[in-house]
Amino acid sequence: MSSLFKRNEFYLGLIILCLVIFLSITTNSFLTIENLLELFTSYSFLGIMAAGMLVVLISGGLDLSFTATATISQYIMATTIIKYGGNLFIAFLIGAGIGIALGLLNGLLVHYIKVHPMIITIATLNLFKGLLMFFSKGKWIYNFPLWFSEPYDIMVFKNSEGYIYPISLPLFIFIVVLIVTGFLLKYTILGRKIYAMGGNKEAARRMGFNLFALTLFVYGYMGFLAGIGSVAHALMVQTVAPNAIIGKELDVIAAVVLGGASLLGGSGTVIGTFLGIAMVAIISNAVILLGIPSYWYMIFLGAIIITSVSITAYNYKLNMRKEAEIDVA
Amino acid sequence: MSLKSFGKVEVLYRKNPNSFVLIPIFLITLALFSVSLPGKFFTVSNFSSIAFQLPELGILTIAMAITMLSGGINLSIIATANLAGIIMATIMKSQSLVANLSGVNLVTLAIVVGLSTSVIIGFINGIIISYIGVSPILATLGTMTLLNGISILTTKGYVISGLPDEMIAVGNNSILGIPIPFIIFIIIAIVINFWLRKTTSGLSNYLVGSNENAANYSGINTRKVLLKTYTISGLLSGIAAIIMISRFNSARAGYAESYLLVTVLASVFGGFDPNGGSGRIPNLIFSLFILQMVASGLNLLGISSHLAGALWGTILIVVMLLQNKRKNES
Amino acid sequence: MHEKILEMKNVNKKYGGVNALKNVDFSLKRGEIHCLVGENGSGKSTLIKIISGVVKPDPGAEIIINGEKVKHLNPRESVEKGIQVIYQDLSLFPNLTVAENVAISDYYRGNIKMVNQKEMYKKAIKAMKKIDISINPKKLVRELSVAQKQLVAISRVIATDAEILIMDEPTASLSKHEINELLNLIKSLQKQGLTVLFVSHKLDEIMSISQRVTILRDGNKIGTFDASELDDQKIAYYMTGKTFDQNEKRGTEKFGKKLLEIKDLCKKRNYMNINLELREGEILGIIGLIGSGRTELALSIFGMNSPDSGEIYVLGERVNLNSNYQAIRSGIAYVPEDRLNDGLFLAQPISTNIIASIMDRLVNKAKIFQEDKIKKVVNKWVHDIGIKTDDPENPVRTLSGGNQQKTVIAKWLATTPKVLILDNPTVGVDIAAKHGIYNIIKELASEKLGIILISDEVPEVYHNADRILIMKKGRIINEVFPDEITEAELQEMVIGGEINV
């Protein structure tokens, strides 16, 4: 129990709980199944990508290029199914395939260029974005085939009055991705090796872990989820635009860091990441429901990021000071 | 070449390996475009347009580079510039002030308030990073988000346009044929270079960036050094804002956001180590010129500016691969 | 069963043009504790790396493990043959649990496979029981003390059924008490049949536990000896090719005026009621273990740890030291224990390193550097300390280890201190460099500097200090003069340590 209080997830959860209670009292529409389903559906693509970012951060890496990866996957997926037809499975297959390929390229570069991955992925972000804009000429895509526009609701449940609540495909994928990623990180050897690499890279090398393969997997998985997330996003908004996802990279990182992952690697959990995304989603929702001008959303978010990282840093400092104390007889 | 003078070259190389990569790339880029674009690239008008375009990115890059030198990063430079620009524009458009002040006074007042804002923002960044101890990426990510929010809130997402002529002159006029923005940029580059190489606090920036603990034990007030660096970074963002709004003749939240990552790229390309402690302003200027020449050359060749972005990314990757090879060999 | 569990013949290794190992033959007898000693750069670590498969020897080498000839080893094969290394940094994963760290070698194969938590805890507990330790297996390693971390690293080796354990400088960051426990543990491992190769340069440790000692110098094997035929002097001679007189004592000198005086200095949870004086030309030893408050006190004198109450006087004048900048200005210099990591700016030029603490003295009225002044200072110190370089503008990174050490010392002497505080100046330093440092200390004292020598090694203060203060639990419990007591008596006081004022 005492370890619970040390955990970041606990405090984040507490803040979210307070927000939820506050919003349920002040508004009628917040704590309704429709609102919550819609809210999490609209954040599902970011959530899917955040799961990938979590894995990258745990391994001690960073990826700023995943939004470009996602947008490229989206364009190629959209143009292909518009031209040649297909089905939903093929759409996801294309998205995931392109995502994995670009992710692996990142992994390759990160492994061979011994420079902070932030710099490397800034370079690939510029590269991917430039190529995307050049080939797409910045055009939007609207004319999806009809089958792509159908609602693919997975589970439908009714309330006592017979009202039907569907769980949309993007939301369903988000949940599956969270479960799979959580399982991967916690229970598989691969996941534990990723934690180990993020905790002490040199020691992982000495244990004989194949760091190259791990790096490829981590960035490949990020790419894979960027691809999947991008198709989920296209399903939701039914358009593909060059600037719909690009530019959100720091939002995703902020959500994962709020959820307790460290930029130094080695720590972070799926539950934390989910709470981080939930926090961001609830704030944006609160602003709308309370009728506050939507500009306030970013101010709240910025203030919360600054406060939370400041508290973490300050606590760390205090702990260091305490550790140094001596028992003076 | 005699063996002895070759030895001298080697010494020079060891001391400043980045110049040895950048100067040839600079010359090759210049030669390639001059040959492939006869009468178009190597012209006064092309260089003049480069000299108008480079300063914005250039000043922002210096604002980024000095924080990287101290071992940090400042992701809030663009957000700072935008907010400072919005504040300047708001003052210049304020009815009551326009009625009571002459054009020059109005512009001066706007600039002073705008720059003060950017200094305060830089100071706050510095406090969060040095005194509270937040990692620079996270701290400036937070302030970036907050500042963008404030910018959107004050403008409600609209563009503030139609600035006084005195303001527009700053970004678009020339003195003796040299664009004013370029003069401002060169002055800043010289002053910052002087600060870094010739003053205690500037040199301390290198020391803190290479080994913060050692700097602390050496009697250097590392917190003060970081505070100063982030404050100067904020000030430079504010100066970039002056040029930005006068060239656009407007201010708005979200201008030039794509520059953020380009400034990191230009800094690294110019030899600033993202882990801190090394990098020189002259090399940074070469790096900026190469990037700008590539952009303008491709533009003249009729190639999309987006390909230029892709090319910048590729150049950076290739340079890092080469540097990596060099490191492995030595 | 072969008597020799490991045998290596004709091992050569060239890096570029440098011969790291020259025709070395080496063997380990089953079940022995074997110590490998040599100065930095003698080839110790290369030899270990060859055994652990990280480095390949030059062609022609022969490696026989358990009577079986091995072509060449890679890290995996080396582990499979039962060879395990505990590196100085322990190679633990701070973010994982104790159990996971102990059992992590099971992760070697298979990625998709699930982690069997139950099995893992069982294995970890079994391994820890074998060496009779109990640490909560669910605790994160980052929450452990250094000594506990070391036990986890050893448990990890036990869990792999290793036959040969190589320990690289295992005692470097432990207190005396912890070292004794570790040495006992190693002996008990030996009883369980493990062969231990122990790398160290602390002579007393070598003598106390090993059966055989192999000495390397400049890549050559000087010989393998039974521990019983060696003593400190002999080992030092074989390692360096030079003789050292352990007992080179300073003549009792006349000390000059009072440089430093401390009255009733107190800081909560750091130290209490500290009184001391230091005179020109005096070497004052402060001995105390980790946690005795010695470093905290030193940092207070250096302005980096403000005391709660008490007074500090420099040359009779009361000073208020709130920052080390003020301390440096008052003529106090402090060389931290981790001199290289806490003292050097590797990427910066030698010149910048030398002036790092005195930048404010080299500027003109407009606060701009005076290049001629900088050049003069830099050249003076490069020359006086003898830093070997063709250009002081080269980065410190390009210097050899010895010259880097000299650069740190130059940095502190450039502040022209009156009081020089040295915190464990010979930790991690081999015997030749150790004597070099002692000579510098004595020379500085003869130039009228007052020196505070902080250490946890009794011989170090006993043979070098003029007066010794013993610190324990934040207090000075005794003051002794080396010519009035024996080394053994001092040792007794430090360990036994009754308050005796």
Side-chain angles (χ1 to χ4, degrees):
Chain A
M1 205 42 197
S2 66
S3 70
L4 184 67
F5 294 108
K6 277 189 226 155
R7 292 182 62 170
N8 185 63
E9 287 94 331
F10 175 75
Y11 290 103
L12 194 58
L14 213 63
I15 297 173
I16 290 176
L17 194 68
C18 294
L19 268 175
V20 167
I21 293 172
F22 172 73
L23 288 170
S24 339
I25 295 170
T26 51
T27 71
N28 294 325
S29 41
F30 177 74
L31 206 64
T32 59
I33 296 177
E34 295 102 308
N35 182 50
L36 291 180
L37 281 180
E38 198 178 310
L39 182 62
F40 281 100
T41 299
S42 65
Y43 273 83
S44 56
F45 78 100
L46 284 183
I48 293 168
M49 295 183 201
M53 180 55 66
L54 171 70
V55 177
V56 175
L57 287 184
I58 288 174
S59 79
L62 188 64
D63 186 353
L64 291 175
S65 71
F66 69 93
T67 52
T69 303
T71 312
I72 290 179
S73 308
Q74 237 179 5
Y75 265 93
I76 294 180
M77 179 277 296
T79 41
T80 314
I81 61 167
I82 289 169
K83 209 166 175 187
Y84 302 104
N87 55 36
L88 208 54
F89 180 72
I90 290 177
F92 275 106
L93 203 65
I94 295 170
I98 303 292
I100 291 173
L102 297 181
L104 290 178
L105 176 65
N106 273 330
L108 198 72
L109 292 174
V110 167
H111 183 79
Y112 280 109
I113 305 177
K114 310 254 178 305
V115 172
H116 195 284
M118 179 177 75
I119 306 298
I120 293 165
T121 54
I122 283 178
T124 54
L125 171 66
N126 271 277
L127 174 61
F128 296 164
K129 201 165 76 177
L131 290 178
L132 168 76
M133 296 301 284
F134 178 68
F135 286 107
S136 72
K137 306 205 168 50
K139 274 189 200 134
W140 289 43
I141 299 177
Y142 301 95
N143 49 335
F144 278 107
L146 273 180
W147 57 261
F148 195 81
S149 311
E150 285 168 29
Y152 288 91
D153 295 335
I154 295 299
M155 275 184 268
V156 174
F157 56 93
K158 294 178 184 178
N159 68 2
S160 52
E161 291 152 34
Y163 196 87
I164 295 169
Y165 300 110
I167 289 186
S168 66
L169 185 60
L171 182 55
F172 177 74
I173 294 174
F174 176 33
I175 295 165
V176 171
V177 163
L178 282 183
I179 294 171
V180 169
T181 308
F183 182 81
L184 172 89
L185 286 173
K186 192 146 193 211
Y187 296 109
T188 69
I189 286 177
L190 177 62
R192 303 317 294 171
K193 279 184 181 170
I194 292 172
Y195 272 101
M197 175 164 83
N200 187 345
K201 197 168 175 182
E202 189 51 39
R205 193 195 317 278
R206 286 179 189 152
M207 290 308 297
F209 296 168
N210 186 341
L211 297 189
F212 179 47
L214 287 175
T215 308
L216 278 185
F217 173 81
V218 163
Y219 287 89
Y221 189 69
M222 171 82 252
F224 167 69
L225 290 185
I228 297 283
S230 77
V231 180
H233 178 256
L235 275 175
M236 247 163 47
V237 299
Q238 291 296 319
T239 52
V240 175
N243 54 359
I245 304 178
I246 290 180
K248 293 221 164 28
E249 49 277 337
L250 295 178
D251 296 31
V252 171
I253 293 171
V256 181
V257 169
L258 274 181
S262 157
L263 287 181
L264 300 174
S267 59
T269 60
V270 165
I271 294 173
T273 299
F274 173 74
L275 292 175
I277 285 283
M279 173 84 134
V280 173
I282 292 172
I283 293 171
S284 79
N285 196 228
V287 169
I288 295 167
L289 294 179
L290 294 171
I292 302 170
S294 65
Y295 326 118
W296 282 98
Y297 160 67
M298 283 179 90
I299 296 181
F300 285 140
L301 186 63
I304 285 174
I305 295 174
I306 295 173
T307 321
S308 113
V309 293
S310 294
I311 291 173
T312 314
Y314 194 71
N315 273 338
Y316 179 76
K317 245 186 186 176
L318 286 185
N319 278 340
M320 294 293 281
R321 215 171 285 162
K322 231 181 221 164
E323 256 170 46
E325 281 174 358
I326 291 167
D327 169 33
V328 180
Chain B
M1 209 189 282
S2 76
L3 207 64
K4 204 174 167 189
S5 63
F6 182 76
K8 264 186 195 158
V9 172
E10 208 229 299
V11 169
L12 278 176
Y13 169 78
R14 220 176 36 223
K15 272 190 214 157
N16 201 348
N18 289 306
S19 307
F20 266 73
V21 183
L22 286 167
I23 295 174
I25 295 181
F26 176 78
L27 294 174
I28 291 167
T29 321
L30 190 64
L32 271 180
F33 282 120
S34 302
V35 171
S36 56
L37 287 161
K40 278 188 187 163
F41 187 82
F42 207 81
T43 60
V44 173
S45 72
N46 185 42
F47 284 115
S48 150
S49 84
I50 288 181
F52 269 115
Q53 285 157 11
L54 183 121
E56 258 169 79
L57 178 62
I59 296 170
L60 288 169
T61 303
I62 295 177
M64 175 63 83
I66 56 171
T67 59
M68 285 172 72
L69 195 54
S70 72
I73 196 165
N74 185 353
L75 296 176
S76 69
I77 48 172
I78 310 282
T80 309
N82 277 324
L83 183 58
I86 287 166
I87 288 174
M88 292 184 216
T90 312
I91 292 174
M92 286 185 274
K93 299 287 285 180
S94 144
Q95 296 293 341
S96 59
L97 289 173
V98 172
N100 292 320
L101 285 173
S102 72
V104 175
N105 283 345
L106 181 65
V107 169
T108 313
L109 174 73
I111 288 178
V112 168
V113 176
L115 289 184
S116 314
T117 313
S118 65
V119 166
I120 291 168
I121 294 167
F123 186 80
I124 293 172
N125 273 330
I127 293 281
I128 297 175
I129 291 163
S130 61
Y131 286 85
I132 303 181
V134 178
S135 85
I137 294 188
L138 293 179
T140 56
L141 175 69
T143 46
M144 177 186 87
T145 314
L146 186 67
L147 294 173
N148 280 339
I150 297 174
S151 292
I152 297 175
L153 185 72
T154 47
T155 59
K156 311 244 183 305
Y158 292 114
V159 178
I160 307 173
S161 59
L163 303 181
D165 292 341
E166 289 86 350
M167 188 68 205
I168 295 171
V170 175
N172 299 285
N173 285 11
S174 301
I175 296 175
L176 298 172
I178 306 169
I180 294 176
F182 194 72
I183 296 173
I184 298 178
F185 168 62
I186 291 299
I187 292 173
I188 286 177
I190 291 171
V191 170
I192 294 293
N193 191 47
F194 188 84
W195 171 59
L196 288 176
R197 311 297 305 177
K198 301 285 175 205
T199 71
T200 322
S201 76
L203 192 61
S204 299
N205 213 20
Y206 281 90
L207 298 180
V208 172
S210 15
N211 187 343
E212 197 172 339
N213 267 340
N216 218 348
Y217 279 113
S218 301
I220 294 167
N221 189 335
T222 53
R223 290 171 165 187
K224 232 169 157 179
V225 170
L226 289 177
L227 187 59
K228 208 178 228 172
T229 301
Y230 282 89
T231 309
I232 292 176
S233 178
L235 173 66
L236 292 178
S237 310
I239 297 175
I242 301 174
I243 297 175
M244 229 160 82
I245 61 170
S246 85
R247 287 193 41 80
F248 286 131
N249 187 16
S250 62
R252 149 173 101 75
Y255 264 150
E257 270 179 347
S258 63
Y259 270 177
L260 178 58
L261 299 182
V262 180
T263 59
V264 178
L265 188 149
S267 304
V268 174
F269 188 41
F272 280 76
D273 183 345
N275 297 321
S278 62
R280 303 246 168 138
I281 297 290
N283 290 339
L284 191 66
I285 294 175
F286 276 112
S287 143
L288 285 163
F289 264 103
I290 293 167
L291 295 177
Q292 203 69 52
M293 283 198 312
V294 170
S296 104
L298 292 180
N299 185 26
L300 288 172
L301 281 169
I303 295 171
S304 143
S305 67
H306 300 308
L307 262 197
L311 201 62
W312 292 5
T314 315
I315 291 174
L316 182 59
I317 292 171
V318 171
V319 169
M320 287 190 297
L321 276 171
L322 289 175
Q323 282 174 346
N324 192 35
K325 208 173 151 218
R326 202 175 64 209
K327 258 184 226 161
N328 286 347
E329 275 163 10
S330 66
Chain C
M1 284 279 242
H2 290 259
E3 194 217 354
K4 285 183 178 166
I5 191 165
L6 170 78
E7 204 172 358
M8 304 168 81
K9 284 179 191 159
N10 221 356
V11 179
N12 279 286
K13 180 71 198 175
K14 254 189 199 166
Y15 288 112
V18 184
N19 277 312
L21 287 175
K22 297 172 212 159
N23 277 325
V24 171
D25 295 345
F26 178 75
S27 69
L28 284 178
K29 285 186 194 163
R30 183 176 298 280
E32 73 173 336
I33 297 178
H34 193 119
C35 200
L36 183 63
V37 295
E39 293 190 81
N40 290 336
S42 61
K44 286 179 300 197
S45 46
T46 308
L47 188 63
I48 294 175
K49 281 179 186 161
I50 289 174
I51 300 174
S52 63
V54 179
V55 165
K56 280 194 173 45
D58 292 341
E62 216 178 296
I63 302 175
I64 301 161
I65 299 175
N66 261 328
E68 186 191 332
K69 213 166 156 182
V70 191
K71 266 199 181 146
H72 52 75
L73 288 165
N74 65 31
R76 191 191 321 177
E77 284 164 348
S78 162
V79 168
E80 279 165 4
K81 303 241 180 263
I83 299 170
Q84 286 279 341
V85 186
I86 298 179
Y87 291 93
Q88 211 173 341
D89 64 12
L90 303 180
S91 295
L92 295 174
F93 301 97
N95 55 331
L96 303 184
T97 60
V98 169
E100 207 164 5
N101 267 284
V102 172
I104 197 161
S105 57
D106 285 357
Y107 287 178
Y108 191 72
R109 275 196 196 80
N111 282 323
I112 311 301
K113 270 202 263 164
M114 300 244 305
V115 177
N116 187 336
Q117 299 268 349
K118 237 185 180 173
E119 195 65 18
M120 186 179 84
Y121 277 100
K122 238 195 207 158
K123 186 167 180 172
I125 291 168
K126 195 177 142 203
M128 289 196 286
K129 258 201 184 133
K130 242 183 174 171
I131 55 171
D132 211 20
I133 59 168
S134 58
I135 299 173
N136 181 355
K138 288 189 176 160
K139 239 184 170 178
L140 291 182
V141 163
R142 84 159 75 87
E143 295 163 6
L144 305 179
S145 70
V146 179
Q148 284 177 314
K149 284 178 185 163
Q150 197 139 37
L151 297 177
V152 172
I154 294 173
S155 307
R156 174 151 90 196
V157 171
I158 304 292
T160 61
D161 302 316
E163 293 192 70
I164 301 176
L165 166 59
I166 303 173
M167 301 184 86
D168 189 7
E169 301 280 359
T171 58
S173 47
L174 297 184
S175 71
K176 205 93 204 165
H177 174 71
E178 290 165 335
I179 290 174
N180 287 337
E181 288 200 343
L182 179 69
L183 296 182
N184 284 333
L185 176 58
I186 292 173
K187 279 187 217 158
S188 82
L189 291 176
Q190 181 188 24
K191 277 190 199 125
Q192 296 176 25
L194 209 66
T195 310
V196 180
L197 176 58
F198 191 86
V199 182
S200 175
H201 54 236
K202 291 200 179 163
L203 303 179
D204 48 340
E205 287 168 10
I206 301 170
M207 311 304 285
S208 74
I209 62 164
S210 50
Q211 279 86 52
R212 293 199 304 159
V213 180
T214 294
I215 301 174
L216 295 178
R217 188 206 308 161
D218 296 330
N220 291 303
K221 178 169 143 179
I222 300 301
T224 298
F225 307 89
D226 278 340
S228 55
E229 35 173 315
L230 291 173
D231 58 36
D232 287 10
Q233 239 95 16
K234 270 188 192 159
I235 293 181
Y237 174 70
Y238 288 136
M239 273 168 72
T240 60
K242 296 174 211 146
T243 42
F244 297 97
D245 183 5
Q246 263 285 8
N247 295 321
E248 51 187 274
K249 273 217 158 168
R250 257 161 31 107
T252 0
E253 282 167 40
K254 291 270 176 291
F255 302 130
K257 39 184 192 223
K258 207 187 279 176
L259 285 176
L260 178 76
E261 187 172 13
I262 291 175
K263 285 185 184 163
D264 287 323
L265 210 63
C266 291
K267 181 167 172 100
K268 215 174 145 195
R269 295 186 189 282
N270 278 246
Y271 49 77
M272 261 182 88
N273 298 334
I274 303 292
N275 288 288
L276 63 82
E277 323 181 340
L278 178 71
R279 287 176 178 275
E280 270 182 350
E282 187 181 23
I283 302 177
L284 174 64
I286 297 183
I287 188 157
L289 305 177
I290 292 174
S292 61
R294 49 170 206 203
T295 297
E296 290 72 14
L297 173 63
L299 286 176
S300 289
I301 303 173
F302 189 52
M304 288 178 79
N305 182 24
S306 302
D308 298 335
S309 63
E311 291 146 33
I312 300 177
Y313 297 85
V314 177
L315 279 174
E317 229 173 279
R318 171 96 192 258
V319 289
N320 210 348
L321 303 174
N322 291 318
S323 72
N324 57 352
Y325 175 78
Q326 287 167 331
I328 292 168
R329 296 196 74 158
S330 316
I332 299 169
Y334 171 77
V335 184
E337 177 169 336
D338 194 348
R339 281 178 309 286
L340 298 183
N341 288 328
D342 289 343
L344 280 182
F345 307 94
L346 287 177
Q348 306 301 328
I350 298 162
S351 59
T352 309
N353 273 275
I354 293 176
I355 64 161
S357 297
I358 51 163
M359 288 192 289
D360 57 314
R361 298 180 200 174
L362 303 170
V363 293
N364 61 18
K365 274 184 194 143
K367 299 262 182 198
I368 293 161
F369 281 131
Q370 291 173 294
E371 297 293 336
D372 50 329
K373 254 191 182 172
I374 293 181
K375 223 171 227 165
K376 231 164 118 190
V377 169
V378 170
N379 287 338
K380 172 183 156 58
W381 288 109
V382 168
H383 177 262
D384 285 7
I385 302 277
I387 300 168
K388 281 192 200 111
T389 174
D390 49 359
D391 184 351
E393 292 309 310
N394 288 341
V396 170
R397 192 183 337 105
T398 61
L399 293 178
S400 69
N403 279 303
Q404 292 187 357
Q405 295 271 10
K406 286 181 184 169
T407 308
V408 180
I409 293 171
K411 179 176 98 170
W412 284 112
L413 294 183
T415 66
T416 53
K418 299 179 194 94
V419 176
L420 180 64
I421 308 170
L422 297 145
D423 197 348
N424 268 315
T426 62
V427 161
V429 160
D430 56 54
I431 183 154
K434 226 176 195 175
H435 281 266
I437 290 173
Y438 295 152
N439 287 336
I440 292 176
I441 293 174
K442 284 171 187 167
E443 207 172 294
L444 291 173
S446 69
E447 284 166 21
K448 298 207 160 172
L449 250 70
I451 291 179
I452 299 180
L453 172 62
I454 298 174
S455 179
D456 52 9
E457 287 189 45
V458 168
E460 181 157 298
V461 284
Y462 185 78
H463 292 290
N464 293 290
D466 301 309
R467 182 160 57 94
I468 299 168
L469 301 177
I470 303 169
M471 261 190 103
K472 200 158 205 186
K473 291 199 165 179
R475 294 166 196 261
I476 294 176
I477 57 164
N478 218 331
E479 176 182 66
V480 295
F481 293 86
D483 25 352
E484 290 170 6
I485 58 166
T486 66
E487 200 176 321
E489 281 167 340
L490 178 59
Q491 181 84 53
E492 185 57 35
M493 285 181 184
V494 172
I495 291 172
E498 276 154 48
I499 297 188
N500 179 9
V501 186

